Amino acid sequence: MLKQRTLKTAVRTTGVGLHTGIKVVLNIRPAPVDSGIVFVRTDLPGAPAIPALAGNVTDTRMSTVIEAQGARVGTIEHLMSAFSGLGVDNAFVDVSGPEVPILDGSSGPFVFLMQSAGLVEQAAPKRYIQVVKPVEVVQGDKVARFEPYNGFRITYEGQFDHPAFEKVGSSVTVDFADTSYVREVARARTFGFTQDVEMLRSQGLALGGSLENAIVMDEFRVLNTDGLRYADEFLRHKILDAVGDLYLLGHPLIGSFLGHKSGHALNNQAARALLAETSAWTWVTFGPGDRIPSAFIEPLPLSQPAF
């Protein structure tokens, strides 16, 4: 039987928010069966809890923001991606401010933290959302589509008018049956362009951004002295973001997802559309003797090092 997972013990880190620039303490704690991922604003009276669910998303400008009980937490997508990649079903995430720290701009540090804490199985079956009918959301020339698939696969297609993208093409497909999230996706960093910085900061965004937590490009090249971690790091980060945004379904997904020029906004609209179309999906659990898609046989061994 595939069982639910949580952390063995709590783990803590500090960092600045990418958009707010505010220093935040982050504490990830074990949570009981069927809790899901729940963010807790420890700096606010009553420590309001915000379940990480698609219906709680209230802002998707350059990040994914959730809100409940008058409290909000932003830039949750990289941490949510790490939870999904490690197969963590239940966790409490205490944050001392309005945004999850960006750390190095990828999911890698979160993976390392949770692997350091250790993961444990819980006495309840893991519940999956299995796509049984296509669901598509279109916004102008942007498309997000779910399709039935016996596993978990994401395709991202984008068009970037910049020399740095010419060598890597405009699309990538990651099938987690034969691709390691930890090794091939988690370390891909967020990226941005110097010409957009002034505009973003005038909107109160990217106030904490730097070469330490993002790939930064001018009109011609990547400015980071250490270069890229993957040749197609930009596209892999879009996959990383999609993994995190789709985990706001509240459960792991069995199916295929295509994002054509999609971002956080369309990813969220697609997740809401899938949940609303109840005939398009069904609940699935795997018990003894069941045939399990290879993408889910072992998301990450409990004792395996992160990198």
Side-chain angles (χ1 to χ4, degrees):
M1 179 174 72
L2 288 184
K3 298 179 180 179
Q4 295 181 30
R5 285 183 169 190
T6 190
L7 277 71
K8 184 181 295 184
T9 186
V11 65
R12 171 186 171 117
T13 190
T14 60
V16 299
L18 173 63
H19 295 299
T20 62
I22 295 173
K23 185 176 180 180
V24 177
V25 177
L26 176 81
N27 187 49
I28 309 173
R29 298 182 284 124
V33 162
D34 294 331
S35 296
I37 308 299
V38 180
F39 288 78
V40 181
R41 282 290 301 273
T42 56
D43 59 316
L44 297 179
I50 313 168
L53 298 171
N56 286 337
V57 173
T58 57
D59 193 348
T60 51
R61 293 176 304 155
M62 308 302 294
S63 72
T64 296
V65 179
I66 54 173
E67 188 169 351
Q69 302 187 65
R72 55 187 276 147
V73 177
T75 317
I76 67 167
E77 61 272 13
H78 301 168
L79 177 54
M80 290 300 297
S81 188
F83 281 134
S84 177
L86 294 178
V88 176
D89 302 273
N90 307 301
F92 294 124
V93 182
D94 300 332
V95 285
S96 67
E99 188 178 16
V100 172
I102 189 64
L103 302 181
D104 76 346
S106 76
S107 292
F110 298 120
V111 169
F112 178 79
L113 284 168
M114 287 190 277
Q115 278 296 99
S116 298
L119 305 177
V120 293
E121 291 186 330
Q122 298 174 284
K126 188 186 289 280
R127 299 179 74 201
Y128 294 83
I129 290 177
Q130 181 171 18
V131 180
V132 296
K133 260 186 2 183
V135 171
E136 181 177 272
V137 175
V138 179
Q139 187 180 75
D141 63 344
K142 301 176 181 179
V143 179
R145 182 168 65 246
F146 291 100
E147 293 183 343
Y149 181 70
N150 191 32
F152 183 37
R153 180 179 65 192
I154 296 180
T155 296
Y156 178 79
E157 301 173 347
Q159 292 181 352
F160 301 96
D161 185 18
H162 189 279
F165 291 87
E166 293 175 357
K167 298 178 182 179
V168 300
S170 60
S171 69
V172 64
T173 296
V174 172
D175 190 325
F176 291 99
D178 52 28
T179 301
S180 165
Y181 172 87
V182 171
R183 289 186 290 273
E184 305 298 332
V185 175
R187 298 180 66 244
R189 294 162 294 175
T190 192
F191 58 91
F193 303 90
T194 54
Q195 59 264 35
D196 296 333
V197 170
E198 185 175 341
M199 178 270 293
L200 290 170
R201 290 185 172 174
S202 71
Q203 298 178 20
L205 299 171
L207 299 178
S210 72
L211 290 168
E212 301 300 317
N213 54 41
I215 303 168
V216 182
M217 291 166 281
D218 63 13
E219 295 180 6
F220 307 104
R221 66 192 187 283
V222 171
L223 300 181
N224 304 64
T225 56
D226 58 344
L228 300 177
R229 295 175 175 175
Y230 311 102
D232 57 352
E233 187 169 357
F234 316 106
L235 298 175
R236 290 184 190 230
H237 186 78
K238 286 292 190 178
I239 296 288
L240 183 157
D241 277 347
V243 170
D245 286 339
L246 298 185
Y247 209 42
L248 290 163
L249 289 166
H251 298 270
L253 180 76
I254 300 177
S256 179
F257 178 77
L258 165 70
H260 177 73
K261 296 186 179 180
S262 67
H264 300 301
L266 203 62
N267 292 346
N268 181 249
Q269 289 178 34
R272 289 176 184 243
L274 177 65
L275 291 173
E277 186 61 58
T278 55
S279 66
W281 58 276
T282 187
W283 292 113
V284 172
T285 59
F286 295 102
D290 288 342
R291 187 168 183 178
I292 301 169
S294 55
F296 305 112
I297 290 175
E298 188 58 68
L300 190 76
L302 300 182
S303 60
Q304 178 177 324
F307 300 106

Coordinates of all heavy atoms in Angstrom, one line a residue, residues 77-138:
E77 N 5.1 28.4 -4.2 CA 5.2 27.4 -5.2 C 6.5 26.5 -5.2 O 6.4 25.3 -5.4 CB 5.1 28.0 -6.6 CG 6.1 29.0 -7.0 CD 5.8 30.4 -6.6 OE1 4.9 30.6 -5.8 OE2 6.5 31.3 -7.0
H78 N 7.6 27.1 -4.8 CA 8.8 26.3 -4.7 C 8.8 25.3 -3.6 O 9.2 24.1 -3.8 CB 10.1 27.1 -4.6 CG 10.2 28.1 -5.7 ND1 11.1 29.2 -5.7 CD2 9.6 28.2 -6.9 CE1 11.0 29.9 -6.8 NE2 10.1 29.3 -7.6
L79 N 8.3 25.7 -2.4 CA 8.1 24.7 -1.3 C 7.1 23.7 -1.6 O 7.3 22.5 -1.3 CB 7.8 25.5 0.0 CG 7.5 24.7 1.2 CD1 8.7 23.8 1.5 CD2 7.3 25.6 2.4
M80 N 6.0 24.1 -2.2 CA 4.9 23.1 -2.6 C 5.5 22.1 -3.6 O 5.1 20.9 -3.6 CB 3.7 23.9 -3.2 CG 2.9 24.7 -2.2 SD 2.2 23.7 -0.8 CE 1.1 22.6 -1.7
S81 N 6.3 22.6 -4.5 CA 7.0 21.7 -5.5 C 7.8 20.6 -4.8 O 7.8 19.5 -5.1 CB 7.8 22.5 -6.5 OG 8.3 21.7 -7.5
A82 N 8.6 21.1 -3.8 CA 9.4 20.2 -3.0 C 8.6 19.1 -2.3 O 8.9 17.9 -2.2 CB 10.3 20.9 -2.0
F83 N 7.4 19.6 -1.7 CA 6.5 18.6 -1.0 C 6.1 17.6 -2.0 O 6.0 16.4 -1.7 CB 5.3 19.4 -0.4 CG 5.6 20.1 0.9 CD1 5.1 21.4 1.0 CD2 6.2 19.5 1.9 CE1 5.3 22.1 2.2 CE2 6.4 20.1 3.1 CZ 6.0 21.4 3.3
S84 N 5.6 18.0 -3.2 CA 5.2 17.1 -4.2 C 6.3 16.1 -4.6 O 6.1 14.9 -4.7 CB 4.6 17.8 -5.4 OG 4.2 17.0 -6.4
G85 N 7.5 16.7 -4.9 CA 8.6 15.8 -5.4 C 9.0 14.8 -4.4 O 9.5 13.7 -4.8
L86 N 8.9 15.1 -3.1 CA 9.3 14.2 -2.0 C 8.1 13.3 -1.6 O 8.3 12.4 -0.7 CB 9.8 14.9 -0.8 CG 11.1 15.7 -1.1 CD1 11.6 16.4 0.2 CD2 12.2 14.7 -1.5
G87 N 6.9 13.5 -2.1 CA 5.8 12.7 -1.7 C 5.3 13.0 -0.3 O 4.7 12.1 0.3
V88 N 5.5 14.2 0.1 CA 5.0 14.6 1.5 C 3.5 15.1 1.4 O 3.2 16.0 0.7 CB 5.8 15.8 2.0 CG1 5.3 16.2 3.4 CG2 7.3 15.3 2.2
D89 N 2.7 14.4 2.1 CA 1.2 14.6 2.0 C 0.8 15.6 3.1 O -0.1 16.4 2.9 CB 0.4 13.4 2.2 CG 0.7 12.3 1.2 OD1 0.1 12.3 0.1 OD2 1.6 11.5 1.5
N90 N 1.4 15.6 4.3 CA 1.0 16.3 5.4 C 2.1 17.1 6.1 O 3.1 16.5 6.4 CB 0.3 15.4 6.5 CG -0.8 14.5 5.8 OD1 -1.7 15.0 5.3 ND2 -0.6 13.2 5.9
A91 N 1.9 18.4 6.3 CA 2.9 19.2 7.0 C 2.3 20.5 7.4 O 1.5 21.1 6.7 CB 4.2 19.4 6.1
F92 N 2.8 21.0 8.5 CA 2.5 22.4 8.9 C 3.7 23.3 8.6 O 4.9 22.9 8.9 CB 2.2 22.5 10.4 CG 1.0 21.8 10.9 CD1 1.0 20.8 11.8 CD2 -0.2 22.1 10.3 CE1 -0.1 20.1 12.3 CE2 -1.4 21.4 10.7 CZ -1.3 20.4 11.7
V93 N 3.5 24.4 8.0 CA 4.5 25.3 7.6 C 4.4 26.6 8.3 O 3.5 27.4 8.0 CB 4.5 25.6 6.1 CG1 5.7 26.5 5.7 CG2 4.6 24.3 5.3
D94 N 5.2 26.9 9.4 CA 5.1 28.1 10.1 C 6.0 29.2 9.4 O 7.1 28.9 9.1 CB 5.6 27.9 11.6 CG 4.8 26.9 12.3 OD1 3.6 26.7 12.1 OD2 5.4 26.2 13.2
V95 N 5.4 30.3 9.2 CA 6.1 31.4 8.6 C 5.9 32.7 9.5 O 4.8 33.0 9.9 CB 5.7 31.7 7.1 CG1 6.3 30.7 6.2 CG2 4.2 31.8 7.0
S96 N 7.0 33.4 9.7 CA 7.0 34.6 10.5 C 6.7 35.9 9.7 O 7.0 37.0 10.2 CB 8.3 34.7 11.3 OG 9.3 35.0 10.5
G97 N 6.3 35.7 8.5 CA 6.0 36.9 7.7 C 5.1 36.5 6.5 O 4.6 35.4 6.4
P98 N 5.0 37.5 5.5 CA 4.0 37.3 4.5 C 4.4 36.5 3.3 O 3.7 36.3 2.3 CB 3.7 38.7 4.1 CG 5.0 39.4 4.3 CD 5.5 38.8 5.5
E99 N 5.7 35.9 3.3 CA 6.2 35.3 2.2 C 7.2 34.2 2.6 O 8.0 34.4 3.5 CB 6.9 36.3 1.3 CG 7.3 35.8 -0.1 CD 8.0 36.8 -1.0 OE1 8.4 37.9 -0.4 OE2 8.1 36.6 -2.2
V100 N 7.2 33.1 1.8 CA 8.1 32.0 2.0 C 9.5 32.5 1.6 O 9.6 33.1 0.5 CB 7.7 30.7 1.3 CG1 8.8 29.7 1.3 CG2 6.4 30.2 1.8
P101 N 10.6 32.3 2.3 CA 11.9 32.7 1.9 C 12.3 32.1 0.6 O 12.0 30.9 0.3 CB 12.8 32.3 3.0 CG 12.1 31.4 3.9 CD 10.6 31.6 3.7
I102 N 12.9 32.9 -0.3 CA 13.3 32.4 -1.6 C 14.5 31.5 -1.6 O 14.7 30.7 -2.5 CB 13.5 33.6 -2.6 CG1 13.6 33.1 -4.0 CG2 14.7 34.4 -2.1 CD1 12.4 32.5 -4.6
L103 N 15.4 31.6 -0.6 CA 16.6 30.8 -0.5 C 17.4 31.0 -1.8 O 17.8 32.1 -2.1 CB 16.3 29.4 -0.1 CG 15.5 29.3 1.2 CD1 15.3 27.8 1.6 CD2 16.2 30.0 2.4
D104 N 17.7 29.9 -2.5 CA 18.5 30.1 -3.8 C 17.7 30.2 -5.0 O 18.2 30.3 -6.1 CB 19.5 29.0 -3.9 CG 18.9 27.7 -4.4 OD1 17.7 27.5 -4.4 OD2 19.7 26.8 -4.8
G105 N 16.3 30.3 -4.9 CA 15.5 30.5 -6.0 C 15.0 29.2 -6.7 O 14.3 29.2 -7.7
S106 N 15.3 28.1 -6.0 CA 14.9 26.8 -6.5 C 14.2 26.0 -5.4 O 14.0 26.6 -4.3 CB 16.0 25.9 -7.0 OG 16.8 25.4 -5.9
S107 N 13.8 24.8 -5.6 CA 13.3 23.9 -4.5 C 14.4 23.1 -3.8 O 14.1 22.5 -2.8 CB 12.3 22.9 -5.1 OG 11.1 23.6 -5.6
G108 N 15.6 23.2 -4.3 CA 16.7 22.4 -3.8 C 16.9 22.5 -2.3 O 17.0 21.5 -1.6
P109 N 17.0 23.7 -1.7 CA 17.2 23.9 -0.3 C 16.0 23.3 0.5 O 16.3 22.8 1.6 CB 17.3 25.4 -0.1 CG 17.7 25.9 -1.4 CD 17.1 25.0 -2.4
F110 N 14.8 23.4 0.0 CA 13.7 22.8 0.8 C 13.8 21.3 0.8 O 13.5 20.6 1.8 CB 12.4 23.2 0.1 CG 12.1 24.7 0.2 CD1 11.9 25.5 -1.0 CD2 12.1 25.4 1.4 CE1 11.7 26.8 -0.9 CE2 11.9 26.8 1.5 CZ 11.7 27.5 0.3
V111 N 14.2 20.7 -0.4 CA 14.4 19.3 -0.4 C 15.4 18.8 0.6 O 15.3 17.9 1.3 CB 14.8 18.8 -1.9 CG1 15.3 17.4 -1.9 CG2 13.6 19.0 -2.8
F112 N 16.5 19.6 0.6 CA 17.6 19.2 1.5 C 17.2 19.3 3.0 O 17.5 18.4 3.8 CB 18.8 20.2 1.3 CG 20.0 20.0 2.2 CD1 20.9 18.9 2.0 CD2 20.1 20.8 3.3 CE1 21.9 18.7 2.9 CE2 21.2 20.6 4.2 CZ 22.1 19.5 4.0
L113 N 16.4 20.4 3.3 CA 15.9 20.5 4.7 C 15.0 19.3 5.1 O 15.2 18.8 6.2 CB 15.1 21.8 4.8 CG 15.9 23.1 4.9 CD1 15.0 24.3 4.7 CD2 16.7 23.2 6.2
M114 N 14.1 19.0 4.2 CA 13.2 17.9 4.6 C 13.9 16.6 4.6 O 13.5 15.7 5.4 CB 12.0 17.9 3.6 CG 11.0 19.1 3.9 SD 9.5 19.0 3.0 CE 10.0 19.7 1.4
Q115 N 14.8 16.3 3.7 CA 15.6 15.1 3.8 C 16.4 15.0 5.0 O 16.6 13.9 5.6 CB 16.4 14.9 2.5 CG 15.6 14.4 1.4 CD 15.1 13.0 1.6 OE1 14.0 12.8 2.0 NE2 16.0 12.0 1.5
S116 N 16.9 16.2 5.5 CA 17.7 16.2 6.7 C 16.8 15.9 7.9 O 17.2 15.2 8.9 CB 18.3 17.6 6.9 OG 19.2 17.9 5.9
A117 N 15.6 16.3 7.9 CA 14.6 16.1 9.0 C 14.2 14.6 8.9 O 13.9 14.0 10.0 CB 13.4 16.9 8.8
G118 N 14.1 14.0 7.7 CA 13.7 12.6 7.6 C 12.2 12.6 7.3 O 11.4 13.5 7.7
L119 N 11.8 11.6 6.5 CA 10.4 11.4 6.2 C 9.9 10.1 6.7 O 10.6 9.1 6.8 CB 10.2 11.4 4.6 CG 10.8 12.7 3.9 CD1 10.6 12.5 2.4 CD2 10.1 13.9 4.4
V120 N 8.6 10.1 7.1 CA 8.0 8.9 7.7 C 6.7 8.6 7.0 O 6.0 9.5 6.7 CB 7.9 8.9 9.2 CG1 9.2 9.0 9.9 CG2 7.0 10.1 9.6
E121 N 6.4 7.3 6.9 CA 5.1 6.9 6.4 C 4.1 6.9 7.5 O 4.4 6.7 8.7 CB 5.2 5.5 5.8 CG 5.9 5.5 4.5 CD 5.9 4.1 3.8 OE1 5.7 3.1 4.5 OE2 6.0 4.0 2.5
Q122 N 2.8 7.1 7.2 CA 1.8 7.2 8.1 C 0.7 6.1 7.9 O 0.7 5.6 6.8 CB 1.1 8.6 8.1 CG 2.1 9.7 8.4 CD 1.5 11.1 8.2 OE1 1.3 11.6 7.1 NE2 1.1 11.8 9.3
A123 N -0.1 5.9 8.9 CA -1.0 4.7 8.8 C -2.3 5.1 8.1 O -3.4 4.9 8.6 CB -1.3 4.2 10.3
A124 N -2.2 5.5 6.9 CA -3.3 5.8 6.0 C -2.9 5.8 4.6 O -1.7 6.2 4.3 CB -3.9 7.1 6.4
P125 N -3.7 5.3 3.7 CA -3.3 5.3 2.2 C -3.2 6.7 1.6 O -4.0 7.6 2.0 CB -4.5 4.5 1.6 CG -5.7 4.7 2.5 CD -5.1 4.8 3.9
K126 N -2.3 6.9 0.7 CA -2.1 8.1 0.0 C -3.3 8.2 -1.0 O -3.6 7.2 -1.7 CB -0.8 8.1 -0.7 CG -0.4 9.4 -1.4 CD 0.9 9.3 -2.2 CE 2.1 9.1 -1.3 NZ 2.6 10.4 -0.8
R127 N -3.9 9.3 -1.1 CA -5.0 9.5 -2.1 C -4.6 10.3 -3.3 O -4.1 11.4 -3.1 CB -6.2 10.2 -1.4 CG -6.8 9.4 -0.2 CD -7.9 10.1 0.4 NE -9.1 10.1 -0.4 CZ -10.1 11.0 -0.3 NH1 -10.1 12.0 0.6 NH2 -11.2 10.9 -1.1
Y128 N -4.9 9.8 -4.5 CA -4.5 10.5 -5.7 C -5.8 11.0 -6.4 O -6.8 10.4 -6.3 CB -3.8 9.5 -6.6 CG -2.4 9.1 -6.2 CD1 -2.3 8.0 -5.3 CD2 -1.3 9.7 -6.6 CE1 -1.1 7.5 -4.8 CE2 0.0 9.2 -6.2 CZ 0.0 8.2 -5.3 OH 1.3 7.7 -4.8
I129 N -5.6 12.1 -7.2 CA -6.6 12.5 -8.1 C -6.2 12.1 -9.5 O -5.1 12.4 -10.0 CB -6.7 14.1 -8.1 CG1 -7.3 14.5 -6.8 CG2 -7.5 14.6 -9.3 CD1 -7.4 16.1 -6.6
Q130 N -7.0 11.2 -10.1 CA -6.7 10.6 -11.4 C -7.6 11.3 -12.4 O -8.8 11.3 -12.3 CB -6.9 9.1 -11.4 CG -6.5 8.5 -12.8 CD -6.5 7.0 -12.7 OE1 -7.0 6.4 -11.8 NE2 -5.9 6.4 -13.7
V131 N -6.9 11.8 -13.4 CA -7.6 12.5 -14.6 C -8.2 11.4 -15.4 O -7.5 10.4 -15.9 CB -6.7 13.3 -15.4 CG1 -7.5 14.0 -16.6 CG2 -6.1 14.4 -14.5
V132 N -9.5 11.4 -15.7 CA -10.2 10.4 -16.6 C -10.8 11.1 -17.8 O -11.2 10.4 -18.8 CB -11.3 9.7 -15.8 CG1 -10.7 8.9 -14.7 CG2 -12.4 10.6 -15.3
K133 N -10.8 12.4 -17.9 CA -11.3 13.1 -19.1 C -10.5 14.4 -19.2 O -10.1 15.0 -18.3 CB -12.8 13.5 -18.9 CG -13.8 12.7 -19.5 CD -15.2 13.2 -19.5 CE -15.5 14.5 -18.8 NZ -16.9 14.8 -18.7
P134 N -10.2 14.8 -20.5 CA -9.4 16.1 -20.7 C -10.2 17.3 -20.1 O -11.4 17.4 -20.2 CB -9.3 16.2 -22.2 CG -9.5 14.8 -22.7 CD -10.5 14.1 -21.8
V135 N -9.4 18.2 -19.5 CA -9.9 19.5 -19.1 C -8.9 20.5 -19.6 O -7.7 20.4 -19.4 CB -10.0 19.5 -17.6 CG1 -10.4 21.0 -17.1 CG2 -11.1 18.6 -17.1
E136 N -9.4 21.6 -20.3 CA -8.6 22.6 -20.9 C -9.1 24.0 -20.5 O -10.3 24.2 -20.5 CB -8.5 22.4 -22.4 CG -7.6 23.4 -23.1 CD -7.6 23.1 -24.6 OE1 -6.7 22.3 -25.0 OE2 -8.4 23.7 -25.3
V137 N -8.1 24.8 -20.2 CA -8.4 26.3 -20.0 C -7.5 27.1 -21.0 O -6.3 26.8 -21.1 CB -8.0 26.7 -18.6 CG1 -8.2 28.2 -18.4 CG2 -8.9 25.9 -17.6
V138 N -8.2 28.0 -21.7 CA -7.5 28.8 -22.7 C -7.6 30.3 -22.4 O -8.7 30.7 -22.0 CB -8.1 28.5 -24.1 CG1 -7.4 29.4 -25.2 CG2 -8.0 27.1 -24.5

